[in-house]
Amino acid sequence: MCLFHMTGDRKWLEPPYRPMRDVRLIADPDAGFDEAVSAEIRQAAEDWLSLERRTPAVDDPGADGFGELISIFLGEQVPAEYIALIRQDMGFEPNDVDWPDGDASENQHDVIIVGAGVSGVCLAAKLRRLGIGYRVFEKNAEVGGTWFENRYPGCGVDTPNHFYSYSFAPNSEWKHFFSPRDELQTYVEDCATAFGIRDRIEFDTAVTDASWDPDSSRWNVTVRGPDGIERAESAAVFVSASGHFNQPTVAEFPGQSEFAGEIFHTARWPDNANLAGKRVGIVGTGASSMQVVPTIAGEVDSLTIFQRTPQWARPIPEYNLPVATESQWLFDNVPYYDRWYRFAQFWRYGDGLLRFLKKDPSWEHPDRSLNRINERHRVEMADYIAEKLSDRPDLIDKCTPTYPPFGKRILIDNGWFDTLCEPHVELVTDGIDHFTPTGCVTADGVTHELDVMIMATGFTVTNLAARLNVTGRNGRRLADDWAHENPTAHLGITVPEFPNFFVMYGPNTNMGHGGSGIWLAETQTHYITKCIVNMADEGVETVEVRPEVRRAYTERIDEMHEQLIWTHEGTRTYYRNQFGKVRSPMPFRLVDYWLMTREPDFDDFIVTALESKAAAEPDVVAS
């Protein structure tokens, strides 16, 4: 692709230079080219890059030409609806909301944002660009959200960070392809500085209450600052950017208070934690545990892992690899290289997978997989597990899930299976019955002597913004609206009876089939800022999604999920609530959600006019 941009020569789009289609979990880095073709491609690139004047012959091939390029790049026909999305994400088209007449002077809306994680930072940056007044209240001492709070050993991202980054703020300084926590935290901090939003963030300040005032059509918000004193604030628009993963789920066992050792959750890892030479237990085998265990195993005396459910995991060779000097040179010097690399990650870690997660009603093995491709993924990963544990056949059944692959997010083998084979590491599949002063006893009656117990038990994701104590119109509490583990919102963003209230990373917006939380933040930021701009432009004071719109949207989500893996009866996951409804992952392709959030439809809302506009133009907006 880069050679075509550089030279304009269409021969690079024809055989034998067309990459081969590759649907494996891990793509062939050589794209199916033989050694001779690879060498020819490299030589041609070197020849062009050695020229004194290096002006690409083709910058933007246009929408039709771009559709051809991305299809050639993937070795498959890409549906036309992706073209605009990918062109914007790659920077070939603008992706910002603008004022229709270029003037923000008539905007009468100001915004309070709760949270300065990747969503809050993104929204603040775009509000600042538009000249819309805003303030951010962050309960922590720095930006970053989940990346600020989670500091456990081995913490990192399982999405390639060239995609897990803002499209409008590419980072040329990534040191890894899958960045560890510190690198990600630094990126978010640097973005907050570069976007010029720090002076509008109040750190160590928590929102304790928010209520809608119908008389002033504003949100009254109570915040508690670092001095512990509460004060009142208000804004026309209230946005929760508190996210999914900031309320740890802490398991409670009988006798736990009697344990004389340390107990802590991975998300509350003590700064002074010292595990050297200690007998350590860890509850859980999810994403956090899979990162912690291989990282700490070398320093502890013994490590006992208490497993409820095994997890599907796959190897990714780049996971621990630094970005080599040569690779970094390509990102820095080869025109368009970084854009195409990002697109490759978008496709492989995004919508490229969802189509294989649909139930095939004619599939002959519905208990273990969904369809033929899902079965192939299962076999690949099961074979990998068996190979890694070939010297410990007693562990193979314990470590091989019985539910279909992707019923829970696929994890990355960060040395997990190798660590399980270490002589001082034990995998226990009997549940913990109770604690004693010196350890715990499992259901089989075995006593496990421990000095430290780590809870890698995940997060409570059904409360979301409801834990902010939000009260809408007519005294309606969000906690009541979302009671019984059943949060619902139109587009995951708006809730009836809560005017001018928006939720980021809300219900059914989790990336269950793959994707990037930062990509989601950009998408929802676009929708929210577009709402505010349209409100100002059309003289709208308040917008409140209609109950029937949310109801229809939720019914659509439930119908779609019935056809997808997360309602498979063999899968136990926090994705589903007590009624079996899936309330975490979205069932849509990323492109579908992107299209739904491009332009707010005010027919979906109850709208009221600004008094100044209503007096001058009484027929403009219905109340």
Side-chain angles (χ1 to χ4, degrees):
M1 294 300 108
C2 293
L3 278 172
F4 172 69
H5 283 292
M6 295 173 190
T7 66
D9 191 340
R10 287 191 57 86
K11 87 169 190 177
W12 300 114
L13 306 180
E14 304 295 338
Y17 309 109
R18 287 194 175 209
M20 293 183 63
R21 182 170 182 261
D22 191 344
V23 298
R24 291 175 295 177
L25 286 174
I26 308 300
D28 176 10
D30 291 323
F33 297 135
D34 61 31
E35 188 174 337
V37 171
S38 294
E40 186 179 353
I41 292 171
R42 292 191 184 98
Q43 186 60 55
E46 182 180 344
D47 291 344
W48 189 88
L49 292 164
S50 299
L51 297 174
E52 284 190 25
R53 295 185 61 187
R54 294 181 296 175
T55 302
V58 178
D59 175 38
D60 182 358
D64 292 342
F66 190 77
E68 178 190 21
L69 290 186
I70 59 178
S71 294
I72 291 172
F73 180 77
L74 295 170
E76 60 181 285
Q77 187 64 40
V78 176
E81 59 265 31
Y82 281 93
I83 294 175
L85 163 59
I86 302 303
R87 281 174 60 78
Q88 286 193 1
D89 191 79
M90 290 176 68
F92 289 105
E93 287 186 4
N95 193 23
D96 279 317
V97 173
D98 287 307
W99 294 102
D101 58 3
D103 183 9
S105 61
E106 290 197 27
N107 178 60
Q108 298 184 37
H109 300 86
D110 59 329
V111 184
I112 283 179
I113 304 169
V114 185
V118 296
S119 293
V121 167
C122 185
L123 179 58
K126 296 303 183 180
L127 290 174
R128 180 181 183 276
R129 177 185 175 275
L130 285 163
I132 297 172
Y134 69 92
R135 285 163 294 164
V136 184
F137 297 110
E138 169 54 57
K139 63 182 174 60
N140 293 321
E142 183 51 273
V143 300
T146 190
W147 297 117
F148 177 83
E149 295 181 355
N150 286 270
R151 305 175 181 212
Y152 59 81
C155 181
V157 70
D158 62 358
T159 302
N161 41 248
H162 290 84
F163 176 33
Y164 190 82
S165 51
Y166 301 114
S167 66
F168 58 93
N171 183 15
S172 62
E173 303 300 324
W174 290 122
K175 294 180 173 56
H176 296 82
F177 291 102
F178 291 81
S179 289
R181 174 262 171 198
D182 290 355
E183 203 169 327
L184 292 163
Q185 177 63 22
T186 297
Y187 173 72
V188 183
E189 291 178 13
D190 290 347
C191 284
T193 301
F195 300 157
I197 64 173
R198 284 190 173 274
D199 63 337
R200 306 299 292 166
I201 304 174
E202 291 193 37
F203 294 108
D204 295 312
T205 301
V207 170
T208 60
D209 180 87
S211 60
W212 175 252
D213 180 2
D215 294 329
S216 64
S217 293
R218 290 178 69 82
W219 281 94
N220 293 328
V221 180
T222 304
V223 301
R224 184 173 57 244
D227 56 6
I229 298 175
E230 292 191 341
R231 71 178 194 271
E233 301 285 350
S234 76
V237 176
F238 183 56
V239 180
S240 169
S242 57
H244 270 58
F245 303 112
N246 60 20
Q247 187 175 3
T249 299
V250 181
E252 294 287 344
F253 298 96
Q256 188 168 318
S257 61
E258 300 174 11
F259 180 56
E262 291 184 90
I263 299 181
F264 52 83
H265 194 279
T266 51
R268 299 294 182 264
W269 197 275
D271 291 337
N272 60 351
N274 180 10
L275 305 181
K278 294 184 179 180
R279 299 168 299 177
V280 177
I282 185 165
V283 179
T285 53
S288 299
S289 182
M290 278 205 169
Q291 293 181 336
V292 169
V293 164
T295 309
I296 67 172
E299 62 179 298
V300 303
D301 178 72
S302 65
L303 183 57
T304 307
I305 305 164
F306 298 93
Q307 172 181 280
R308 183 180 68 173
T309 308
Q311 306 282 351
W312 288 113
R314 62 186 177 189
I316 294 184
E318 297 89 354
Y319 186 71
N320 288 313
L321 287 180
V323 177
T325 302
E326 295 85 355
S327 297
Q328 187 61 54
W329 190 92
L330 294 174
F331 287 117
D332 292 340
N333 292 279
V334 178
Y336 310 95
Y337 185 90
D338 57 341
R339 302 193 204 184
W340 283 100
Y341 186 86
R342 178 181 169 93
F343 171 59
Q345 307 311 314
F346 169 91
W347 193 258
R348 187 153 294 276
Y349 288 84
D351 284 350
L353 175 65
L354 183 60
R355 57 191 152 168
F356 304 131
L357 303 185
K358 293 183 179 180
K359 300 172 185 175
D360 179 355
S362 65
W363 178 240
E364 57 186 359
H365 303 295
D367 56 324
R368 71 188 189 199
S369 53
L370 304 176
N371 51 53
R372 180 177 59 84
I373 300 298
N374 189 242
E375 172 70 6
R376 187 176 72 193
H377 290 165
R378 187 194 70 81
V379 170
E380 287 177 1
M381 285 187 281
D383 288 348
Y384 174 75
I385 292 171
E387 178 186 354
K388 295 297 292 183
L389 299 176
S390 59
D391 293 335
R392 288 290 305 276
D394 58 303
L395 291 176
I396 294 177
D397 285 344
K398 287 184 177 182
C399 293
T400 304
T402 57
Y403 58 86
F406 303 99
K408 299 181 180 183
R409 188 163 179 139
I410 299 295
L411 303 181
I412 295 174
D413 178 17
N414 185 29
W416 171 261
F417 297 111
D418 290 336
T419 302
L420 293 183
C421 296
E422 294 289 332
H424 69 302
V425 177
E426 180 183 9
L427 180 67
V428 176
T429 56
D430 289 285
I432 295 173
D433 182 76
H434 65 276
F435 273 78
T436 69
T438 60
C440 68
V441 178
T442 44
D444 57 356
V446 175
T447 298
H448 304 272
E449 300 292 334
L450 302 169
D451 302 310
V452 179
M453 179 65 90
I454 301 168
M455 297 293 181
T457 47
F459 299 85
T460 300
V461 300
T462 53
N463 292 339
L464 302 173
R467 56 179 171 265
L468 297 176
N469 195 21
V470 181
T471 303
R473 186 167 53 80
N474 299 324
R476 179 66 169 171
R477 297 177 66 246
L478 188 61
D480 294 332
D481 192 278
W482 287 2
H484 310 298
E485 302 179 338
N486 196 39
T488 60
H490 178 53
L491 302 178
I493 299 174
T494 57
V495 183
E497 297 189 83
F498 292 83
N500 291 8
F501 174 58
F502 301 95
V503 181
M504 302 188 76
Y505 203 5
N508 291 112
T509 59
N510 200 10
M511 301 294 189
H513 72 280
S516 160
I518 293 183
W519 179 90
L520 177 71
E522 288 194 52
T523 302
Q524 295 184 334
T525 289
H526 182 97
Y527 183 84
I528 294 168
T529 53
K530 189 73 170 178
C531 270
I532 297 171
V533 165
N534 288 359
M535 288 167 70
D537 185 55
E538 298 179 26
V540 172
E541 183 172 44
T542 66
V543 293
E544 176 191 335
V545 70
R546 298 180 183 276
E548 63 271 21
V549 171
R550 177 177 66 167
R551 188 182 310 115
Y553 180 79
T554 303
E555 289 173 354
R556 179 186 177 195
I557 279 184
D558 291 344
E559 291 171 1
M560 294 180 71
H561 270 305
E562 283 301 318
Q563 308 303 315
L564 293 170
I565 190 168
W566 299 292
T567 53
H568 188 276
E569 61 183 13
T571 302
R572 295 176 59 192
T573 172
Y574 68 84
Y575 289 168
R576 288 208 307 264
N577 66 14
Q578 58 185 305
F579 307 109
K581 299 297 185 182
V582 177
R583 289 293 175 256
S584 182
M586 69 166 64
F588 309 110
R589 299 176 302 171
L590 302 186
V591 68
D592 297 326
Y593 190 74
W594 183 83
L595 288 167
M596 286 187 285
T597 53
R598 286 300 86 194
E599 186 67 46
D601 185 352
F602 277 7
D603 288 341
D604 291 339
F605 295 88
I606 301 167
V607 296
T608 60
L610 284 162
E611 288 187 8
S612 58
K613 284 275 188 177
E617 304 173 58
D619 296 326
V620 172
V621 184
S623 63

